[in-house]
Amino acid sequence: MEELPAVDMFVTTADPALEPPLITVNTVLSLLALDYPDVGRLACYVSDDGCSPVTCYALREAAKFAGLWVPFCKRHDVGVRAPFMYFSSAPEVGNGTVDHEFLESWALMKSQYEKLARRIENADEGTIMRDGGDEFAEFIDAERGNHPTIVKVLWDNSKSKAGEEFPHLVYLSREKSPRHRHNFKAGAMNVLTRVSAVMTNAPIMLNVDCDMFANNPQVALHAMCLLLGFDDEIHSGFVQAPQKFYGGLKDDPFGNQMQVITKKIGGGLAGIQGMFYGGTGCFHRRKVIYGVPPPDTVKHEMKGSPSYKELQAKFGSSKELIESSRNIISGDLLARPTVDLSSRVEMAKQVGDCNYEAGTCWGQEIGWVYGSMTEDILTGLRIHAAGWESALLDTEPPAFLGCAPTGGPASLTQFKRWATGLLEILISQNSPILGTIFRRLQLRQCLAYLIVEAWPVRAPFELCYALLGPFCLLTNQSFLPTASDEGFRIPAALFLTYHIYHLMEYKECGLSVRAWWNNHRMQRITSASAWLLAFLTVILKTLGLSETVFEVTRKESSTSSDGGAGTDEADPGLFTFDSAPVFIPVTVLSMLNIVALAVAAWRAVVGAAAGVHGGPGIGEFVCCGWIVLCFWPFVRGLVSRGKYGIPWSVRVKAGLIVAAFVHICTRN
Ligand SMILES: O=c1ccn([C@@H]2O[C@H](COP(=O)(O)OP(=O)(O)O[C@H]3O[C@H](CO)[C@@H](O)[C@H](O)[C@H]3O)[C@@H](O)[C@H]2O)c(=O)[nH]1
Ligand SMILES: [Mn+2]
């Protein structure tokens, strides 16, 4: 038990406004407090693409607080070690006997945490840089998109008192310059990989998004069981915990809690090459990230250890990085981590430079792969295609918890980014189809990747179907057999079996009918909005007309410990809108289907009175009615006001498009 491999833990944050530093701080504290036999083997690195002195300040304060928090957690065996979560409920008092000493230290710790939270929430850039002295000097001339690398050792474990140790904490903001591509999160992960390589060089790396705190303090130990427990390490190239969320809204109104996907696809993949890499909550073997093939192929492909020159061509010019990668490639899991961190800061800065990757294999054969907004799926795909398998870390209580976006704009932005990234992968040289033909991706694993990568491709087809119903109603035609026709049974049976099957899946996962409906509805909405825009974005990018950008999801901690903020929300499950283009297509379709239903109903009444037959039947009416039901949040948005109403600019644009469509359909 004493000899477990070292783990470097990475946290990424990119924007102090969308990702409040207090959220990052909680995640970091939960990691610093993890149970591990020798915490000297753990190190936490935070990458800040926002280059924010507030984030840096918050982390420095967090490091001070950790000196109290970590010993408290360990002494009282605290269950959830993200303080905001822990203090959101009353202290647990064990089997009836009131432990006064515990209650006292609980109250003390809570007030300390609240002070910390206030300091962080009230911190402002100007004051920090004015009063912070030398410590924040590097931030003075730094612009977010243009500054040299900043590396700060916020806590060096070797300075801990005996019995009160906690892992190293390093702050990092990689060099940015307007002349370079930064590759978003993938770029940040590669810098984290290199910086940690020259500092602690742990053979295992954990990565989490800034909102994904460790909810199970034993998570690193559980991961070790999967990393070390197989007879062959090929079975656990990486170990992925399912993405789960805290404070999830009842019945998943935004269709983004992914419970069924995680259970059904995650469980099913376990029988093939394993769970996809999901970008957060994942333990990687450093050597897998360094492109080392699984053990059974090594003897054929690599003769002896690589030369200095070969390593330099792949990893870049840093001598320390090359030496450290040699240790990793040789596969020594128990190599002692370097201890004197501050002597390594200059080397860390060198490997954080924009130019460092030029002419190397970073972003392709090694590290996180560039070229997709979903660098996670892409990087996991490369690993699976190399022949590695992955293992699912499904612990109870859940390993990590994060926040699922709420509200229309945040949810659709996230779906749009995912769909863009997935389509980018599908048409790239890393596509799973090529991986199956030319590499070692198994056919069924390829099909599983295709399920998600085909999302945006469905959008144009779904759009056509959504237009077909109203087109028929407006032009008095039909595309389905009439109800009296025997052929009608075929579309009716397809419609029913599809929905009943999905409903049963939700029931099997212990979810409500409402949750099924919300997810179904959100899929239709997403398809006509986020996926459709993603599809167009990728086409424009392929034609060289635009670039794709990573839009960070807004994160809010829903369990605010003082309960003050956010209570004015009427219903957080209600769909909200803004004037982004992503809202136009669904608004158009909602209006159009309502208009078509009204026109056809009018015609049916008048026609029946005049004894005319033919035209659309029950099938076309059901199609349009179903669309109106699915798009109900938008129908409601058309008659609501404020952030629950669709903005006038969107309504006007949508109205013009509807008028044009109706005109084209009805002119003779
Ligand atoms: O330029 C950037 C952009 C983002 N991030 C970080 O990347 C993470 C993920 O961003 P978020 O907006 O939270 O995206 P989500 O959609 O919630 O994340 C999922 O999907 C992403 C791919 O689209 C993956 O990168 C994530 O790991 C995965 O959790 C966050 O920690 C960000 O701080 C950076 O470090 N640099
Ligand atoms: Mn996230």
Side-chain angles (χ1 to χ4, degrees):
M1 232 343 225
E2 285 310 309
E3 286 289 282
L4 285 180
V7 183
D8 286 340
M9 309 181 286
F10 303 153
V11 181
T12 46
T13 178
D15 185 323
L18 298 172
E19 308 183 319
L22 189 56
I23 292 185
T24 309
V25 157
N26 270 282
T27 301
V28 167
L29 286 169
S30 75
L31 295 178
L32 295 181
L34 286 185
D35 285 335
Y36 211 63
D38 175 5
V39 294
R41 286 177 165 263
L42 301 180
C44 179
Y45 295 84
V46 181
S47 151
D48 177 18
D49 272 346
C51 189
S52 151
V54 180
T55 305
C56 185
Y57 166 82
L59 289 166
R60 191 192 67 176
E61 295 302 299
K64 289 183 200 155
F65 176 69
L68 302 170
W69 176 243
V70 175
F72 171 81
C73 289
K74 302 231 164 137
R75 195 158 50 243
H76 300 291
D77 198 16
V78 167
V80 181
R81 297 180 183 181
F84 85 104
M85 200 41 129
Y86 179 63
F87 292 121
S88 67
S89 49
E92 263 179 43
V93 202
N95 53 31
T97 53
V98 183
D99 179 347
H100 288 288
E101 195 205 314
F102 166 67
L103 287 181
E104 245 167 57
S105 52
W106 186 91
L108 181 73
M109 201 54 66
K110 181 168 188 213
S111 87
Q112 290 288 344
Y113 172 68
E114 279 164 0
K115 276 190 207 147
L116 170 79
R118 260 198 306 278
R119 273 205 303 283
I120 293 175
E121 280 169 340
N122 297 334
D124 98 289
E125 252 174 54
T127 329
I128 294 176
M129 290 195 281
R130 216 175 30 250
D131 306 345
D134 278 356
E135 227 181 317
F136 295 95
E138 285 163 279
F139 289 98
I140 291 176
D141 294 319
E143 282 169 47
R144 186 186 285 197
N146 194 7
H147 65 88
T149 306
I150 303 176
V151 176
K152 289 188 175 299
V153 179
L154 297 177
W155 177 250
D156 186 333
N157 165 256
S158 56
K159 294 194 193 120
S160 321
K161 280 189 255 163
E164 299 197 346
E165 287 131 46
F166 63 92
H168 305 299
L169 178 60
V170 177
Y171 171 89
L172 157 74
S173 185
R174 61 186 164 133
E175 186 187 11
K176 289 275 176 76
S177 117
R179 291 184 312 280
H180 285 88
R181 276 172 184 270
H182 298 290
N183 298 299
F184 312 107
K185 184 180 168 195
M189 292 307 299
N190 284 338
V191 176
L192 278 166
T193 307
R194 293 196 296 272
V195 165
S196 62
V198 299
M199 293 184 112
T200 44
N201 201 31
I204 307 295
M205 312 189 287
L206 160 67
N207 94 272
V208 294
D209 290 350
C210 61
D211 57 318
M212 286 270 166
F213 62 84
N215 178 62
N216 183 332
Q218 307 225 301
V219 59
L221 299 171
H222 287 293
M224 287 309 145
C225 296
L226 292 170
L227 287 163
L228 309 175
F230 287 103
D231 49 3
D232 191 332
E233 53 183 30
I234 191 173
H235 302 301
S236 54
F238 62 85
V239 170
Q240 171 72 52
Q243 280 215 36
K244 296 194 174 171
F245 305 95
Y246 64 85
L249 298 171
K250 190 166 175 290
D251 297 329
D252 197 6
F254 297 98
N256 54 10
Q257 294 172 11
M258 301 188 290
Q259 279 146 296
V260 173
I261 279 211
T262 312
K263 257 212 172 103
K264 292 284 173 183
I265 299 197
L269 281 172
I272 322 173
Q273 276 180 283
M275 187 63 176
F276 307 140
Y277 164 44
T280 177
C282 185
F283 290 83
H284 284 283
R285 290 176 197 276
R286 194 184 277 270
K287 69 172 179 190
V288 172
I289 288 294
Y290 283 2
V292 175
D296 62 334
T297 51
V298 175
K299 44 186 177 300
H300 307 296
E301 289 179 11
M302 289 212 312
K303 315 161 227 65
S305 57
S307 70
Y308 190 89
K309 271 241 149 54
E310 282 170 313
L311 288 175
Q312 192 176 27
K314 277 191 172 174
F315 289 87
S317 55
S318 160
K319 207 170 100 250
E320 293 75 19
L321 181 62
I322 294 173
E323 285 313 319
S324 73
S325 62
R326 194 188 291 284
N327 289 340
I328 292 298
I329 292 171
S330 73
D332 184 2
L333 273 182
L334 293 173
R336 267 265 138 216
T338 320
V339 253
D340 186 12
L341 291 186
S342 36
S343 67
R344 299 243 147 192
V345 169
E346 286 312 312
M347 300 158 200
K349 286 187 180 168
Q350 185 200 345
V351 295
D353 278 1
C354 295
N355 281 323
Y356 188 82
E357 291 178 354
T360 66
C361 294
W362 287 98
Q364 306 304 329
E365 280 159 55
I366 57 176
W368 269 254
V369 186
Y370 298 150
S372 164
M373 288 294 109
T374 46
E375 77 304 320
D376 45 356
I377 299 288
L378 178 54
T379 305
L381 184 54
R382 184 195 70 199
I383 297 172
H384 283 139
W388 290 96
E389 292 172 11
S390 53
L392 185 65
L393 177 67
D394 206 359
T395 58
E396 189 52 50
F400 300 94
L401 294 178
C403 46
T406 55
S411 307
L412 293 188
T413 305
Q414 187 183 48
F415 278 122
K416 188 173 111 203
R417 165 156 45 75
W418 287 349
T420 309
L422 292 167
L423 187 54
E424 282 174 316
I425 300 177
L426 188 63
I427 59 174
S428 76
Q429 60 195 33
N430 290 303
S431 133
I433 301 173
L434 298 180
T436 309
I437 301 175
F438 298 110
R439 307 197 60 204
R440 297 183 60 195
L441 193 69
Q442 292 178 20
L443 178 64
R444 286 184 305 147
Q445 186 81 12
C446 164
L447 295 177
Y449 272 110
L450 289 179
I451 294 179
V452 288
E453 285 175 14
W455 279 353
V457 183
R458 285 162 51 171
F461 298 100
E462 286 201 26
L463 177 66
C464 292
Y465 277 111
L467 292 173
L468 197 51
F471 174 79
C472 288
L473 291 192
L474 289 169
T475 55
N476 206 21
Q477 302 183 46
S478 64
F479 75 102
L480 289 167
T482 51
S484 52
D485 193 334
E486 273 193 15
F488 183 74
R489 290 185 205 158
I490 297 173
L494 287 174
F495 180 82
L496 288 176
T497 41
Y498 176 81
H499 288 101
I500 293 173
Y501 177 77
H502 275 281
L503 177 59
M504 276 162 51
E505 274 192 331
Y506 276 76
K507 290 265 103 187
E508 256 175 70
C509 293
L511 298 172
S512 63
V513 178
R514 188 74 214 208
W516 161 75
W517 174 245
N518 284 341
N519 272 275
H520 174 71
R521 175 168 93 177
M522 267 315 282
Q523 268 221 348
R524 301 285 73 74
I525 291 179
T526 310
S527 178
S529 56
W531 293 352
L532 187 64
L533 258 74
F535 185 80
L536 298 175
T537 312
V538 176
I539 291 186
L540 290 181
K541 183 189 167 200
T542 316
L543 297 176
L545 295 177
S546 81
E547 279 286 334
T548 45
V549 226
F550 193 114
E551 293 172 75
V552 174
T553 316
R554 173 179 293 281
K555 299 169 180 78
E556 280 146 309
S557 48
S558 51
T559 324
S560 66
S561 54
D562 51 6
T567 38
D568 58 332
E569 289 270 307
D571 175 2
L574 270 186
F575 211 88
T576 52
F577 301 88
D578 65 18
S579 52
V582 75
F583 292 104
I584 297 177
V586 186
T587 311
V588 169
L589 290 174
S590 310
M591 287 180 173
L592 184 62
N593 279 280
I594 293 174
V595 169
L597 279 171
V599 167
W602 171 251
R603 195 187 291 121
V605 173
V606 175
V612 183
H613 293 286
I618 178 93
E620 287 75 19
F621 274 95
V622 169
C623 283
C624 290
W626 189 254
I627 289 180
V628 172
L629 283 183
C630 287
F631 292 170
W632 196 252
F634 280 72
V635 177
R636 201 210 306 251
L638 283 172
V639 295
S640 306
R641 273 188 281 170
K643 64 177 179 176
Y644 299 113
I646 299 174
W648 277 105
S649 62
V650 175
R651 293 185 203 203
V652 169
K653 285 176 201 154
L656 289 175
I657 299 176
V658 170
F661 186 85
V662 174
H663 173 74
I664 294 171
C665 290
T666 50
R667 75 175 166 196
N668 291 320

